[in-house]
Amino acid sequence: MTSVSADGTSVRDCMSEHVVTMRATETLDRAAQMMVEREVGSAVITRDADIEGIITERDVLRAVARGLVPWSTSVSDCMTPKPATVSTSTPAGTALSMMLENNYRHLPVVDEGVLVGIVSLRALAAIAAAKEAPAAS
Amino acid sequence: MTLEIGSLASEHLVTVGPQHTLAEAAQRMNQNKIGSVVVLVEAAMPGILTERDLLRSIAEGADAESTTVERYMTPIAITGSASWDVYEAANRMFEGGFRHLIVLDDQGSPSGILSLRDLVKALLETSSSDRLSEPRT
């Protein structure tokens, strides 16, 4: 695809280093609280250094739609296991096309097996919009 | 070139009333694979309930089966005219920090909803088609 990758913008330039992490055994309402408190839309589920999954606002929505009780449902029952990841050097356009093709809104950023950040559709969209906006003339 | 948001917004408008429960709203969002519903309020501007609002309700310990939409919705949603240019809509979304824009028709009635995802896809398609039609210099 696209023009956003053409000028060398990479995930490094638009990711957030403030990743909210939690364990799979924590409850759904705790996940919601952490996302609200930290003003993020996802939390990465880790065990030791491994990424087990990701939980997003959309997963919370699905759980509510299924009638699950948030305080007795564990994150492991609602998370997406083994999420796709990118690295800091992945072109922004590649990350964006992964999101649009697969309906993801967040991708964990992993360098040499270590979780270093998260990149969101919003951050990539902001770059895309800025780059594509017609220049004032 | 300009691209009006009226042609991009989802025409399939999913609505609820303020007295529906959060669980019912979540089910409609989930069935339609969307992140927001328009809340139609009699004789007033429409409101909006998004998955972020649902997340907040779960974080606060609300019971989705008995809590009404009215308690967590944004009463007067951010709206845009169908004739708005895609960049204008993008700027409003990034400045306001919201992800959904209710699109109003000429009569001021909700005619569609524009998501950040719709917008990004349009921005990328616009830029690729511009690029193809540009003469080489």
Side-chain angles (χ1 to χ4, degrees), chain A residues 133-137:
Chain A
S137 57

Coordinates of all heavy atoms in Angstrom, one line a residue, chain A residues 133-137:
Chain A
A133 N -3.0 15.6 4.0 CA -3.7 16.8 3.9 C -3.1 17.7 2.8 O -1.9 17.8 2.6 CB -3.6 17.6 5.2
P134 N -4.0 18.3 2.0 CA -3.5 19.2 0.9 C -2.7 20.3 1.5 O -3.1 20.9 2.5 CB -4.8 19.7 0.3 CG -5.9 19.0 1.0 CD -5.4 18.3 2.2
A135 N -1.6 20.6 1.0 CA -0.7 21.7 1.5 C -1.4 23.0 1.3 O -2.0 23.2 0.2 CB 0.6 21.7 0.8
A136 N -1.4 23.9 2.3 CA -1.9 25.2 2.1 C -1.1 26.0 1.1 O 0.1 26.0 1.1 CB -1.9 25.9 3.4
S137 N -1.8 26.6 0.2 CA -1.0 27.3 -0.8 C -1.8 28.6 -1.2 O -2.9 28.8 -0.9 CB -0.8 26.5 -2.1 OG -2.0 26.1 -2.6

